[in-house]
């Protein structure tokens, strides 16, 4: 009885699940298939959480993988395939959002972070340089002081 | 009865936490030594109460007491004992219990090891810890109570989520939480310093071991989680840039930055304000991670809105602590004096560059993780930000950092000599470039990017030991002198070397597996053989097996090379009985640092074939050996003498010297 139940469960499961890319979906042309895989990694499985259609076992992901391959076989460029899918499913399907006004902050963050941080550091050094001049120690005195301090630290790394 | 005792202990813990917050705070502000002296005992008491409560919940799980709603929902009497035990934190309520258990543990540890701290600072730190404990214990009691009862008690429980039924659950969350929550100590120190308005090198020295401890656990926890996902999820990926992963990665980035900036503060009393801010940020990002994972906001803004109680309360806690800390920071940071001066090209400058890049990286992960939520909340449109975005932004940020790492330890404090450092490093650079060229030669047709990656990896590994090499005096000094010198080096020097080398090891693993991995997806019938990167893999067949709380179909693959049998690999497909949930168990064989990874797909209808996915993953384990090296480095640093001795002698002498110079 138990075995029978397990068998039923297995049937139920195989009816719904298909694990990621399957051999019967794959294209014969290795170059084309490689492009399909790369594109698949950029497309989101719409019913999963943060999974690409390349890694997902959902039916919808399977359908999308087939669509991508159909478009490629029909001679579309990678960009055209993406456009085709976006036209049907919206930008939500792209795991890599497009460069657009709305996504400016998203794509700009790394650069903005470096620029703002860099600017803050430059300001810091400017201020420090001003403050250093204000201590009134000559360069010679500064060096003597740092030598004393270094001796004071001894073996301390 | 026992369950009520646990429930009572949790309520008691809340009351004691309030005391832990108020009494030491008042004591520290009024200078009342008796009230300040109560702080450690209160911290111990809170820990004891929470530990008791946690123990009772654990008992409920181990004894399969299904009259507790939480146990019924997440456990089953058929489960192996280990998973009954780990099931305690395999759900929302239980994981929050683990959270406060670790929080109160850290509170008690600060109380225990804090006898060398000034009494008011210690009282203040413990008070802040008490405030965090109050907020989260209250959150558990009022929105996520694990002791809610069921009557009548069901006969059988609903089982733990099968994906969680793995040793990984025993190790990963506790490590991760020790890291996450460990930063609460740094946070408490930062708040205490701001309230007290006093911060100096000694402060940095006191905070350093706690930062290191949290960082070590977080590093280990993230790496462990990555390996767990790698073998459990069955498609061979090791990092998915999933929001939940990002939630743990952001505090790691900020914590790593903190570790480095605190070094500057300790040695040179510079970057004080910045270090305080980083201490606040590291824990704030931990809180944010808790919010993201626990509120359900990640699935969708709407899912969050449909059952908002928990999410709103955590959000309120988040806003209170982060907002409060930042306001306090804005008000008080200007009172902190500026520290030592330094030239841009110096050890301080190098550490500042490290901080600039790490915090920008943290900001990038932060924006990438929250952007879809913000866009959805503001415009109602849905967008996705996934792995391709993070790969495209994170890698370019990291490369300059990785290239700069070996220079850092070779630059002198205050004013360094970049040219001199470069002169001392050129041999190491030569070795690294050679390694890259060898890669190009061996793997014909290897992408140039892979060769560059290998070069960077080797550059980090050999460059990490440049400081040690230089200090040994080799090759001029004799071996004996060198050994004596090396054994006399501060342990933190070794710590730096190991941690930086670990970074290089990770780089090598990532580059190797992304450039040279081989993947085969095909249908196989029993008796079929396929080639995988020079190995011959024979599929022998499938057989059913009965586990304790699952049934499985186990496949047998024989791996051989040149006719010689090497290994048997047994991937499986399981059905967990209680939830009728299928999982894929990958079969993995490790050879050196590389692995053969086999996962089963579906049976092909109308035949005896099954879809099989095979991977050759060259050097993939380096991705997790690297973090182990980093953890070893962290432990070396933690055992450094200057962290064990309480009194910061050099600083005291420095003050005398300064006084004499004025």
């Amino acid at each position: 009885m138990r075995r029978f139940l397990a068998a039923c469960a297995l049937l139920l499961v195989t009816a719904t699940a298909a694990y990621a890319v399957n051999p019967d979906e794959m294209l014969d042309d290795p170059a084309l298939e490689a492009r399909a895989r790369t594109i698949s990694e950029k497309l989101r499985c719409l019913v999963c959480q943060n999974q690409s259609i390349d890694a997902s076992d959902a039916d919808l992901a399977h359908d999308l993988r087939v669509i991508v391959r159909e478009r490629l076989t029909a001679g579309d460029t990678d960009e055209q395939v993406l456009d085709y899918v976006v036209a049907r499913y919206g930008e939500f399907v792209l795991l890599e959002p497009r460069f657009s006004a709305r996504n400016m902050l998203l794509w700009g963050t790394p650069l903005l972070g470096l620029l703002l941080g860099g600017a803050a550091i430059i300001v810091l050094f400017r201020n420090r340089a001003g403050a250093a001049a204000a201590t009134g120690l000559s360069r010679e005195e500064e060096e003597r002081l740092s030598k004393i301090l270094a001796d004071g630290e001894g073996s301390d790394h | 009865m026992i369950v009520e005792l646990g429930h009572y202990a949790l309520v008691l813990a809340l009351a004691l936490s309030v005391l832990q917050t108020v009494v030491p705070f008042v004591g520290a502000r009024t200078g009342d030594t008796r009230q300040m002296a109560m702080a450690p005992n209160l911290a111990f008491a809170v820990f004891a109460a929470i530990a008791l409560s946690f123990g009772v919940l654990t008992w409920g799980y181990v004894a399969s007491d299904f009259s507790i709603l939480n146990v019924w929902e997440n456990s089953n009497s058929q489960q192996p004992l280990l998973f009954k035990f780990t099931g305690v934190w395999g759900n929302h309520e239980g994981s929050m219990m683990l959270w406060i258990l670790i929080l109160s543990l850290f509170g008690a540890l600060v109380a225990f090891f804090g006898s060398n701290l000034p009494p008011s600072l210690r009282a203040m730190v413990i008070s802040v810890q008490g405030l965090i404990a109050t907020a989260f214990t209250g959150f558990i009691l009022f929105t996520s109570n694990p002791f809610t009862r069921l009557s009548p008690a069901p006969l059988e429980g609903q089982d733990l989520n099968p994906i969680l039924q793995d040793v990984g659950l025993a190790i990963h969350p506790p490590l991760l939480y020790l890291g996450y929550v460990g930063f609460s100590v740094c946070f408490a120190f930062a708040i205490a310093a701001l309230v007290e308005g006093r911060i100096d090198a000694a402060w940095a020295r006191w905070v350093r071991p706690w930062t290191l401890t949290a960082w070590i656990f977080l590093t280990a926890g993230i790496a462990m989680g990555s390996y767990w996902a790698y073998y459990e999820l069955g498609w061979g990926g090791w990092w998915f840039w999933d929001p939940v992963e990002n939630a743990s990665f952001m505090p790691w980035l900020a914590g790593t930055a903190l570790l480095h900036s605190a070094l500057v503060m300790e040695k040179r009393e510079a970057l004080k304000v910045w270090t305080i801010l980083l201490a606040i940020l590291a824990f704030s990002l931990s809180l944010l991670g808790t919010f993201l994972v626990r509120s359900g906001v990640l699935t969708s803004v709407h899912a969050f809105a449909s059952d908002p109680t928990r999410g709103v309360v955590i959000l309120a806690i988040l806003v209170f602590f982060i907002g409060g800390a930042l306001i306090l920071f804005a008000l008080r940071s200007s009172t902190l004096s500026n520290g030592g001066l330094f030239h841009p090209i110096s050890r301080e400058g190098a550490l500042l560059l490290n901080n600039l890049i790490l915090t920008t990286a943290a900001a990038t992960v932060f924006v990438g993780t929250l952007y879809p939520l913000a866009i959805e909340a503001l415009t109602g449109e849905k967008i996705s930000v996934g792995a391709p975005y993070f790969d495209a932004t994170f890698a370019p940020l990291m490369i300059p950092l990785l290239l700069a790492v070996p220079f850092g330890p070779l630059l002198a404090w205050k004013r360094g000599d970049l040219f001199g450092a470069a002169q001392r490093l050129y041999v190491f650079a030569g070795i690294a470039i050679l390694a890259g060229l060898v890669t190009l030669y061996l793997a014909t047709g290897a992408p140039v990017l892979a060769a560059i990656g290998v070069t960077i990896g080797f550059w980090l590994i050999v460059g990490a030991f440049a400081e040690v090499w230089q200090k040994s005096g080799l090759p001029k000094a004799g071996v004996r002198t060198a050994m004596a010198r090396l054994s006399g080096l501060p342990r933190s020097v070794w710590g730096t070397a190991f941690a930086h080398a670990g970074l290089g090891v990770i780089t090598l693993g990532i580059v190797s597996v992304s450039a040279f991995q081989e993947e085969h997806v095909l249908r196989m019938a029993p008796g079929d053989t396929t080639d995988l990167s020079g190995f011959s893999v024979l599929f022998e067949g499938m057989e059913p097996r009965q586990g304790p709380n699952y049934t499985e179909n186990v496949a047998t693959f024989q791996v051989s090379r040149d006719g010689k049998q090497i290994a048997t690999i047994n991937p499986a497909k399981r059905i967990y009985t209680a939830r009728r949930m299928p999982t894929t168990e990958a079969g993995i064989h490790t050879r050196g640092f590389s692995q053969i990874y086999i996962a089963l797909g579906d049976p092909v209808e109308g035949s005896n074939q099954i879809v099989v996915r095979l991977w050759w993953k060259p050097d993939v384990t380096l991705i997790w050996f690297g973090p182990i090296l980093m953890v070893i480095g962290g432990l070396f640093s933690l055992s450094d003498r200057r962290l064990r001795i309480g009194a910061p002698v050099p600083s005291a002498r420095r003050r005398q010297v300064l006084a004499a110079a004025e």
Side-chain angles (χ1 to χ4, degrees):
Chain A
M1 184 63 192
R2 197 168 198 157
R3 257 225 150 101
F4 172 73
L5 279 179
C8 286
L10 205 66
L11 271 178
L12 203 78
V13 166
T14 46
T16 56
Y19 277 88
V21 195
N22 273 300
D24 54 353
E25 296 167 3
M26 289 160 81
L27 301 173
D28 294 329
D29 179 355
L32 219 51
E33 174 62 24
R35 276 172 61 199
R37 294 297 297 271
T38 317
I39 295 175
S40 298
E41 280 169 14
K42 290 183 185 166
L43 291 174
R44 177 191 187 124
C45 157
L46 295 162
V47 294
C48 323
Q49 241 196 67
N50 191 43
Q51 251 184 5
S52 73
I53 59 168
D54 194 56
S56 167
D57 50 9
D59 286 338
L60 187 72
H62 163 82
D63 297 346
L64 271 172
R65 284 195 298 268
V66 172
I67 291 177
V68 165
R69 283 167 175 82
E70 279 171 7
R71 298 309 308 169
L72 282 174
T73 325
D76 277 12
T77 65
D78 294 5
E79 215 31 61
Q80 281 170 329
V81 176
L82 289 176
D83 287 343
Y84 181 89
V85 179
V86 170
R88 267 151 196 79
Y89 294 93
E91 220 190 300
F92 184 58
V93 80
L94 292 179
L95 280 170
E96 186 178 43
R98 300 210 145 131
F99 293 98
S100 65
R102 188 186 58 193
N103 299 336
M104 209 160 62
L105 182 63
L106 178 70
W107 284 105
T109 300
L111 203 61
L112 205 65
L114 288 180
L115 287 179
L116 286 180
I121 291 173
I122 290 170
V123 169
L124 176 91
F125 276 111
R126 284 260 168 88
N127 288 348
R128 287 298 178 79
T135 59
L137 290 178
S138 72
R139 197 187 166 108
E140 210 172 288
E141 285 168 323
E142 281 267 5
E143 272 171 13
R144 241 177 59 209
L145 181 62
S146 67
K147 199 163 168 245
I148 297 171
L149 288 175
D151 290 345
E153 296 207 340
S155 66
D156 185 69
H157 177 67
Chain B
M1 180 58 204
I2 295 181
V3 180
E4 271 61 50
L5 185 70
H7 198 169
Y8 172 76
L10 195 60
V11 178
L12 182 68
L14 177 63
L16 286 169
S17 305
V18 174
L19 280 184
Q20 186 190 332
T21 314
V22 177
V23 177
F25 181 81
V26 173
R29 296 313 287 165
T30 59
D32 184 333
T33 45
R34 285 172 310 163
Q35 290 188 40
M36 283 193 269
M38 275 182 74
N41 291 333
L42 281 168
F44 296 142
V46 169
F47 174 60
I50 291 178
L52 177 65
S53 181
F54 189 85
V56 167
L57 185 63
T58 310
W59 173 85
Y61 269 86
V62 173
S64 291
D65 183 347
F66 298 125
S67 74
I68 306 172
L69 176 65
N70 188 252
V71 178
W72 173 72
E73 280 176 340
N74 301 294
S75 193
N76 184 289
S77 61
Q78 302 295 308
Q79 259 169 230
L81 183 65
L82 176 70
F83 302 143
K84 285 184 183 173
F85 189 73
T86 57
V88 176
W89 55 79
N91 61 83
H92 169 78
E93 288 82 359
S95 72
M96 289 316 295
M97 286 294 286
L98 181 67
W99 209 96
I100 59 166
L101 177 71
I102 291 173
L103 180 73
S104 62
L105 171 70
F106 273 108
L109 287 174
V110 171
F112 186 76
F113 290 109
S115 50
N116 60 347
L117 300 178
S120 67
L121 180 67
R122 177 168 72 161
M124 200 59 91
V125 169
I126 291 176
S127 167
V128 177
Q129 285 272 328
L131 191 61
I132 303 170
T134 307
F136 279 93
T137 313
F139 169 73
I140 292 178
L141 276 170
F142 294 116
T143 74
S144 322
N145 196 324
F147 294 107
T148 309
R149 294 273 218 163
L150 271 179
S151 179
L155 280 175
E156 188 51 283
Q158 294 187 317
D159 205 11
L160 176 65
N161 184 341
I163 291 181
L164 298 179
Q165 296 195 26
D166 186 274
V167 231
L169 182 67
I171 312 167
H172 172 61
L175 282 178
L176 202 63
Y177 279 17
L178 281 165
Y180 257 29
V181 181
F183 285 124
S184 71
V185 182
C186 311
F187 177 83
F189 266 98
I191 299 297
L194 286 173
V195 173
E196 299 247 295
R198 202 173 60 88
I199 176 166
D200 49 23
W203 182 93
R205 202 165 283 216
W206 288 317
V207 174
R208 188 166 166 76
W210 299 104
T211 317
L212 259 175
T213 309
W215 182 86
I216 289 170
F217 281 120
L218 196 56
T219 307
I222 294 175
M224 172 66 218
S226 156
Y227 190 66
W228 185 19
Y230 168 77
Y231 73 73
E232 181 70 31
L233 295 180
W235 66 87
W238 48 271
W239 189 259
F240 305 92
W241 292 108
D242 189 85
V244 178
E245 287 173 323
N246 294 348
S248 65
F249 195 43
M250 288 186 273
W252 187 86
L253 289 168
T256 310
L258 172 63
L259 211 54
H260 289 87
S261 79
L263 209 59
V264 177
M265 184 167 157
E266 181 189 341
K267 295 292 186 198
R268 303 272 305 124
E269 297 220 14
L271 302 186
K272 281 183 194 173
V273 176
W274 173 239
T275 305
I276 292 274
L277 184 62
L278 272 181
I280 292 173
L281 284 182
F283 184 61
S284 298
L285 289 170
S286 297
L287 284 178
L288 178 77
T290 309
F291 167 71
L292 288 178
V293 176
R294 289 286 140 227
S295 66
V297 72
L298 286 175
T299 354
S300 145
V301 176
H302 301 301
F304 169 64
S306 62
D307 179 22
T309 338
R310 285 175 181 170
V312 166
V313 176
I314 303 191
L315 192 60
I317 295 177
L318 193 80
V319 169
F320 173 75
F321 280 103
I322 301 178
L326 290 180
I327 289 171
L328 189 65
F329 176 80
L331 290 178
R332 300 300 290 265
S333 64
S334 57
T335 62
L336 304 174
S337 62
N338 272 330
L341 303 168
F342 57 88
H343 192 260
I345 303 291
S346 61
R347 182 84 66 92
E348 295 93 319
L351 289 165
L352 205 55
L353 178 70
N354 150 306
N355 272 230
L356 173 65
I357 295 179
L358 282 177
T359 38
T360 304
T364 306
V365 178
F366 177 87
V367 171
T369 309
L370 295 183
Y371 211 73
L373 297 179
I375 291 287
E376 195 185 348
L378 292 177
T379 67
E381 288 172 72
K382 294 190 77 163
I383 64 158
S384 309
V385 179
Y389 165 81
F390 292 103
D391 289 341
T393 50
F394 199 76
L397 274 176
M398 280 302 116
I399 288 169
L401 179 64
L402 297 183
L403 287 175
V405 163
F407 283 96
L410 291 183
L411 292 172
W413 293 101
K414 285 197 81 176
R415 182 184 288 272
D417 177 4
L418 193 60
F419 184 67
Q423 267 187 326
R424 278 173 279 160
L425 279 169
Y426 77 91
V427 179
F428 300 97
I431 297 173
I433 291 169
L434 196 66
L437 291 176
V438 169
T439 311
L440 272 185
Y441 176 75
L442 286 182
T444 26
V448 180
L449 271 177
I452 294 173
V454 170
T455 305
I456 293 178
F458 272 92
W459 165 241
L460 279 163
I461 296 172
V462 292
F465 291 96
E467 188 189 8
V468 174
W469 176 260
Q470 185 202 338
K471 294 225 157 114
S472 75
L474 286 169
K476 272 183 209 149
V479 176
R480 185 170 288 188
T481 332
M483 290 308 283
R485 281 183 191 168
L486 288 182
S487 64
L489 280 183
R491 296 225 184 125
S492 60
V493 173
W494 289 102
T496 306
F498 277 115
H500 287 176
L503 204 55
V505 171
I506 297 175
T507 310
L508 280 186
I510 294 175
V511 169
S512 177
V513 85
S514 19
F516 304 115
Q517 122 170 329
E518 268 189 44
E519 180 190 20
H520 290 254
V521 185
L522 71 167
R523 297 191 201 92
M524 291 181 95
D528 283 358
T529 303
T530 181
D531 279 335
L532 177 72
S533 193
F535 297 97
S536 164
V537 183
L538 166 73
F539 175 41
E540 284 194 336
M542 306 274 291
E543 65 175 0
R545 248 189 243 165
Q546 177 72 44
N549 56 340
Y550 57 83
T551 52
E552 62 180 348
N553 256 330
V554 184
T556 303
F557 290 86
Q558 299 294 352
V559 182
S560 56
R561 185 171 215 163
D562 306 326
K564 227 175 77 186
Q565 212 270 351
I566 294 173
T568 308
I569 301 182
N570 296 108
K573 289 176 79 93
R574 280 186 191 165
I575 304 282
Y576 280 81
T577 332
R579 293 198 182 197
R580 296 254 151 265
M581 183 167 162
T583 65
T584 313
E585 300 295 310
I588 298 174
H589 171 66
T590 307
R591 266 183 90 69
F593 291 121
S594 310
Q595 290 186 328
I596 297 173
Y597 186 112
I598 306 181
L600 297 178
D602 292 327
V604 180
E605 271 173 60
S607 76
N608 60 346
Q609 290 177 319
I610 184 164
V611 173
V612 179
R613 272 158 237 290
L614 309 106
W615 282 275
W616 166 247
K617 296 194 171 278
D619 302 321
V620 68
T621 56
L622 293 183
I623 295 173
W624 306 289
F625 275 117
I628 292 176
L629 273 180
M630 293 169 120
V631 166
I632 291 174
L635 291 173
F636 262 109
S637 281
L638 198 58
S639 69
D640 194 287
R641 188 175 155 272
R642 73 167 194 275
L643 297 183
R644 274 176 286 135
I645 50 169
V649 181
S651 301
R653 275 185 72 177
R654 170 179 300 168
R655 246 173 257 125
Q656 283 171 9
V657 173
L658 278 175
E662 269 164 16

